[in-house]
Amino acid sequence: MLQVADAVQAVRTGRSLTEVLARCPADLRPGTQSLSFYVLRQLGAAEAARQHLAPKAPPPKVEPLLLSALALLWPGAEERPYADHTVVDQVVSAVRKRAPASAGFVNAVLRRFLREREAIVLALAAQPQALFNHPLWWIEQLQKDWPQQWQAILKANNQHPPMTLRVNARRSSPEAATSAYLQRLTAAGIAARPVGPLAPQALVLDRAVPVSALPGFAEGDVSVQDAAAQLAAPLLLQAGLPAGARVLDACSAPGGKTVHLLELADLDLLALDSDASRLERVQDNLKRLGLKAETRAADARDTAKWWDGRLFDAILLDAPCSASGIVRRHPDVRWLRRPTDIANLAQIQADLLDALWLTLKPGGRLVYATCSIFKAEGQAQIDAFLQRQNGVNAQEVEGVTGHLLPLAHNGDEAAATEPSQLDGFYYALLLKS
Ligand SMILES: C[S@@+](CC[C@H](N)C(=O)[O-])C[C@H]1O[C@@H](n2cnc3c(N)ncnc32)[C@H](O)[C@@H]1O
């Protein structure tokens, strides 16, 4: 419980959960991850309940433990991981270790919550942060961008994402490779189903498994990648590129889309990323899959530093963004972002677009992608680019370009009990005349 409370407090003070979990002892990591994911999905409700029950915030050593307990006791959509008395016992004994003088207070608050739970839940349902478990500014932004779907999106953000695989189609057609790998999964007792023609290499597992259980994972027969992310490489290669075409993957780390491109075509590929340590993961991915690309740590906006002046046939710009489309996979991002981040990120995306457009051949193509559903990082970004740049032709591809929302069955509430197969994404295909 102490590990979980520490992870939650780290997120509340601005550190990413991925970074926190990487430092967690290996034997405690899976348990800490699943409980802290659970708590972060109920954090808006827990914060509101804490304020209701104890208007003066308890000391920093105590508050994250109290919040974790309230989140674990809150009657959310998911089955609660522990019985009520177990949560109270564990949290009170953790408080006894950290701040013994506060143990009685925490015990009293939690017991009152259990006595009045139904009434408190009902009263706090009037607060959007408690009801939807997102910051108010995030809720308001979604209301503006998606007036019909915002509630369904917020609910979907608190569901468990499916584990999706991308079958390596290097040696055969995507359909044949996927069906052959499905048979291998079935033989290994792992249930899965294909996503369909939009993402022909994608298989969604009924239940997540460790990658070590996937047949041929170490040999590169399969990778883990959401189905929406699997749309990028085919979109860039859609019209076919000559063998050896010069391609830039401008924001490549950790390399999921880099290796997908190389699985599908023989390319002279340069993989850039501004973060040298994340670039090592691109190299690991290339190695596991037996593929080759030049990798380079550089700020893609600063072309004078890394570009040799040879124009690219195609560019993938999978830009840094708020990650508002993948909240279900990263339940911390909504609590980490600040409202000003969106405008800052949109400026970086615009600068990347402007700089990279100059490195593209006439007749070349650029795919702009973000894993965001905020329009400022998607449609509005591209509309502004088309306004300020001549010679750009934005091409639509049915089911792929535009905003993809992370909703099962197009947001039909009744049918949305199972998670969508796709994360939220935005794609634009820009042709240069
Ligand atoms: C959405 S992630 C890319 C994911 C990757 N394409 C994949 O499919 O695995 C965005 C990446 O952009 C990198 N980045 C951010 N600003 C950048 C810049 N100015 N130039 C190059 N890379 C940048 C980040 O380090 C991050 O790895």
Side-chain angles (χ1 to χ4, degrees):
M1 196 52 83
L2 286 171
Q3 300 275 354
V4 173
D6 288 348
V8 169
Q9 184 62 359
V11 171
R12 292 177 77 231
T13 53
R15 283 168 58 210
S16 99
L17 191 62
T18 314
E19 182 197 317
V20 175
L21 290 172
R23 299 222 176 94
C24 188
D27 55 330
L28 297 178
R29 201 173 300 143
T32 306
Q33 171 165 328
S34 86
L35 277 185
S36 49
F37 269 37
Y38 186 96
V39 170
L40 290 168
R41 288 187 179 118
Q42 317 273 5
L43 189 59
E47 301 247 16
R50 198 281 294 150
Q51 273 164 27
H52 178 86
L53 293 159
K56 186 169 168 285
K61 277 187 187 170
V62 177
E63 192 179 18
L65 280 163
L66 182 55
L67 288 173
S68 301
L70 289 167
L72 289 164
L73 296 172
W74 189 267
E78 283 180 76
E79 198 182 322
R80 292 203 292 278
Y82 293 115
D84 293 349
H85 65 89
T86 311
V87 175
V88 178
D89 289 352
Q90 296 245 341
V91 168
V92 171
S93 68
V95 175
R96 241 180 236 123
K97 282 191 202 135
R98 283 255 161 109
S102 298
F105 158 77
V106 169
N107 189 36
V109 169
L110 294 179
R111 292 199 183 276
R112 182 179 153 208
F113 178 69
L114 288 179
R115 278 196 311 276
E116 298 175 20
R117 181 159 48 192
E118 250 176 67
I120 293 174
V121 170
L122 204 63
L124 296 182
Q127 295 184 22
Q129 303 99 304
L131 185 63
F132 294 113
N133 282 296
H134 284 67
L136 192 57
W137 70 267
W138 190 295
I139 298 171
E140 288 170 351
Q141 190 60 53
L142 285 181
Q143 271 172 327
K144 256 191 230 143
D145 284 352
W146 302 105
Q148 305 298 322
Q149 300 96 332
W150 65 275
Q151 300 203 33
I153 294 170
L154 289 165
K155 280 188 199 158
N157 282 352
N158 280 329
Q159 286 190 324
H160 281 272
M163 181 171 179
T164 308
L165 308 181
R166 187 190 72 240
V167 178
N168 189 343
R170 181 92 185 134
R171 287 171 214 97
S172 61
S173 76
E175 290 75 11
T178 304
S179 121
Y181 192 77
L182 186 54
Q183 286 176 19
R184 287 171 75 187
L185 282 178
T186 309
I190 299 173
R193 60 217 135 94
V195 168
L198 268 188
Q201 290 165 262
L203 288 171
V204 171
L205 302 190
D206 281 4
R207 300 173 64 141
V209 298
V211 288
S212 55
L214 295 171
F217 179 82
E219 294 74 38
D221 295 347
V222 72
S223 301
V224 176
Q225 189 181 42
D226 180 78
Q230 295 189 36
L231 304 178
L235 183 62
L236 193 71
L237 300 173
Q238 191 197 35
L241 285 174
R246 190 165 150 72
V247 174
L248 172 69
D249 186 354
C251 298
S252 63
K257 300 184 189 73
T258 315
V259 288
H260 193 193
L261 282 165
L262 292 167
E263 280 173 11
L264 295 178
D266 292 319
L267 304 168
D268 171 12
L269 193 144
L270 171 60
L272 286 186
D273 202 278
S274 56
D275 185 331
S277 60
R278 279 172 65 83
L279 203 58
E280 284 172 23
R281 294 181 54 202
V282 181
Q283 285 148 359
D284 293 345
N285 267 317
L286 287 165
K287 197 165 158 204
R288 182 175 65 84
L289 287 141
L291 297 166
K292 284 207 166 51
E294 184 188 347
T295 57
R296 187 150 177 189
D299 183 331
R301 291 169 296 185
D302 194 358
T303 50
K305 287 256 169 65
W306 61 266
W307 187 43
D308 63 7
R310 286 189 295 144
L311 294 164
F312 293 100
D313 296 295
I315 297 176
L316 173 60
L317 170 52
D318 188 18
C321 71
S322 63
S324 62
I326 55 171
V327 175
R328 55 187 190 163
R329 289 189 194 281
H330 298 280
D332 54 336
V333 294
R334 70 193 106 171
W335 309 117
L336 291 171
R337 299 270 177 262
R338 298 290 165 258
T340 48
D341 291 349
I342 308 306
N344 293 339
L345 285 160
Q347 187 58 54
I348 295 172
Q349 293 152 6
D351 292 345
L352 282 162
L353 271 167
D354 289 342
L356 295 173
W357 192 250
L358 300 176
T359 71
L360 184 66
K361 254 186 202 162
R365 46 182 38 223
L366 183 148
V367 165
Y368 171 82
T370 55
C371 55
S372 175
I373 54 170
F374 291 147
K375 291 199 173 159
E377 300 181 281
Q379 198 55 56
Q381 178 69 262
I382 292 305
D383 288 345
F385 181 66
L386 293 172
Q387 285 287 320
R388 64 177 185 272
Q389 191 65 248
N390 292 324
V392 192
N393 175 15
Q395 208 172 66
E396 285 180 22
V397 177
E398 171 90 31
V400 179
T401 54
H403 281 281
L404 305 170
L405 297 180
L407 297 177
H409 311 285
N410 296 322
D412 172 357
E413 286 268 341
T417 48
E418 60 176 86
S420 163
Q421 292 183 335
L422 298 187
D423 280 348
F425 252 81
Y426 175 82
Y427 282 114
L429 174 59
L430 306 174
L431 309 182
K432 189 168 182 172
S433 53

